[in-house]
Structures are given as structure tokens and as C-alpha cells.
Amino acid sequence: MSYVFPPPTPTSLPVAGRAQRFPVRRIFCVGRNYEEHAKEMGFTGREPPFFFLKPADALVAVEPSATGTMDYPGLTANLHHEVELVVAIGKEGKSIAAADAMEYIYGYAVGLDMTRRDLQNEMKKQGRPWCIGKAFEQSAPVGVITPAAQATDIATAAIELKVNGATRQYSQISKLIWNIAETIEHLSAAWELRPGDLIMTGTPEGVGAVVRGDMLEASVTGLEPLRLKLA
Ligand code: MN
């Protein structure tokens, strides 16, 4: 096989305690999956989960103990942080029942669904796709994957984001409207999941703007924290 130009190397994430990396295939994201965040965005109630995607090369892989860098993107004056639990899929499957869903999980990481909120809001208003607000380069900083066997208390973990040392977002994974297994059930009804897929499971309340020079520290109890500097 030869190509007209060299194909890109897959993006990948480090795995805690392993030399091998996790190659990333797709990045699925869940919209409005915490009640208090749904409210702050002007919605209420338990609507069926809905999904959008970021390209795999939107990933910013942050190495163990390192501080990642994200360049402030163009076209926006309102770049928002959304701290999220990231589920890494390790096994192929479609139409997975919630009761079986945990078998498909390779591990967990902390991620940021960075959002050009002004552009997203404009697209919403016009009934157009969110891509320009959500799926731009470097819009998906993610830290080290902790294998599922080492992250047994994830369903009861706390999730937090600090900006320059001050807490901006704080909640519990137990407050997910659609929990991890239910999210996989819904997602795999619509897409056949593949090893390497990531699911950003949604953000709790407290989203807000960041500016150049800000230091973001994202954490989920039991997982490697994610540190990111906005350049
Ligand atoms: Mn999000």
C-alpha cells in the first residue's frame, strides 16, 4: 500500500502504569448531562442524551505530571471551559445494553471540552451544526488514562475545575443525568463503538470564560489530574 502523501500518525493518550499508549479513534461528546448545567444553559429536565463529535486530531494529550498547552483559538471572544469525565472504549460493540456496558470500558481520564461559546450560541440560534463552536483544533485536552480496574470508585467521584487556583466547577459523577452505562447504551445504538473511541460524558455547572495565560487544573477523584496552560 502506498499513499499520495504520508498518512498522519494517530493521536494517542498515555496510560497510567504502562509504556503502551491508547490510540484515539473518535471523540464523542454528550450534551447537557448534568441538571444544573442544563439549567444554566436555559434547559431543564431529563431529555434523551444527545451527542456531537470532535475530530480525533482535536486532542491535546497531556502527559503524566506535565502541563499541557492550548493556544487560544481564533474567531472567538468567549472561550469556555467544560471539565468532563472521559470514558475510553476498549472493545467493539453496537446496541450495547446498559447492564453490559462496563465491559466495553478500557479506562477513564479527565478532559476538557473547550468551547467557542459565542460561535456555538450563534449556530444554535440559526439552527446550524455546532462544529465551529466545538470541533476546532486543540478543543479536546485530555490527560492520562487510568485503566478501569484501578478506578473502581468512579461512579461516586468528585469532579472539579480550578482556574488560576480558584474553583470554577465542582460536582459529583453521581449527578450525571445519564450515567456512564446508560450513555454507552444510547451512544452505541446510534454508532458502532470501536476500540479507541473516547466519550466526553458532559460537564457540570459553572462553565465560564478563560483567557490567555490562565492555568486550568481539572480533576476527578482517583484519576490523574489534568493541567493546562492557555497560551
Ligand atoms: Mn461538554
Side-chain angles (χ1 to χ4, degrees):
M1 174 84 75
S2 69
Y3 298 96
V4 296
F5 54 83
T9 306
T11 55
S12 65
L13 289 170
V15 178
R18 296 197 67 161
Q20 291 170 310
R21 296 177 70 87
F22 181 94
V24 174
R25 183 176 174 115
R26 292 173 292 187
I27 305 172
F28 293 100
C29 304
V30 188
R32 301 195 288 264
N33 204 14
Y34 289 83
E35 191 179 346
E36 293 306 315
H37 173 63
K39 284 181 185 165
E40 75 182 350
M41 301 306 285
F43 298 85
T44 53
R46 181 175 159 111
E47 57 187 332
F50 67 93
F51 306 100
F52 59 92
L53 286 110
K54 295 176 187 259
D57 64 6
L59 185 80
V60 177
V62 180
E63 304 304 317
S65 309
T67 298
T69 303
M70 175 186 179
D71 299 315
Y72 195 93
L75 297 182
T76 185
N78 197 19
L79 178 69
H80 272 206
H81 55 75
E82 295 191 357
V83 64
E84 310 205 1
L85 170 68
V86 178
V87 175
I89 297 295
K91 196 169 116 177
E92 188 174 316
K94 62 177 175 182
S95 302
I96 300 164
D100 303 324
M102 304 317 264
E103 294 168 30
Y104 292 81
I105 298 174
Y106 177 81
Y108 302 95
V110 181
L112 289 163
D113 167 12
M114 299 302 290
T115 303
R116 295 193 282 207
R117 191 72 72 199
D118 40 3
L119 299 184
Q120 184 201 21
N121 287 343
E122 188 55 33
M123 292 299 110
K124 272 187 193 173
K125 213 180 295 170
Q126 298 184 30
R128 291 179 178 171
W130 291 5
C131 308
I132 199 168
K134 286 289 195 180
F136 53 95
E137 287 93 358
Q138 301 186 357
S139 61
V142 180
V144 181
I145 292 177
T146 297
Q150 296 161 37
T152 48
D153 296 331
I154 205 75
T156 58
I159 181 167
E160 182 172 23
L161 178 75
K162 292 180 180 176
V163 178
N164 303 326
T167 299
R168 292 268 192 99
Q169 294 187 267
Y170 182 83
S171 190
Q172 311 287 332
I173 300 301
S174 61
K175 291 188 177 173
L176 280 169
I177 295 172
W178 299 95
N179 68 28
I180 296 164
E182 292 167 335
T183 296
I184 290 173
E185 178 172 305
H186 280 93
L187 182 62
S188 69
W191 284 271
E192 186 169 338
L193 298 186
R194 300 293 185 125
D197 288 339
L198 300 179
I199 308 169
M200 301 189 107
T201 54
T203 196
E205 67 275 18
V207 300
V210 282
V211 297
R212 281 190 183 85
D214 280 349
M215 173 65 79
L216 286 68
E217 293 173 82
S219 60
V220 171
T221 317
L223 305 183
E224 299 272 340
L226 166 65
R227 287 209 311 277
L228 185 80
K229 179 95 175 171
L230 214 55

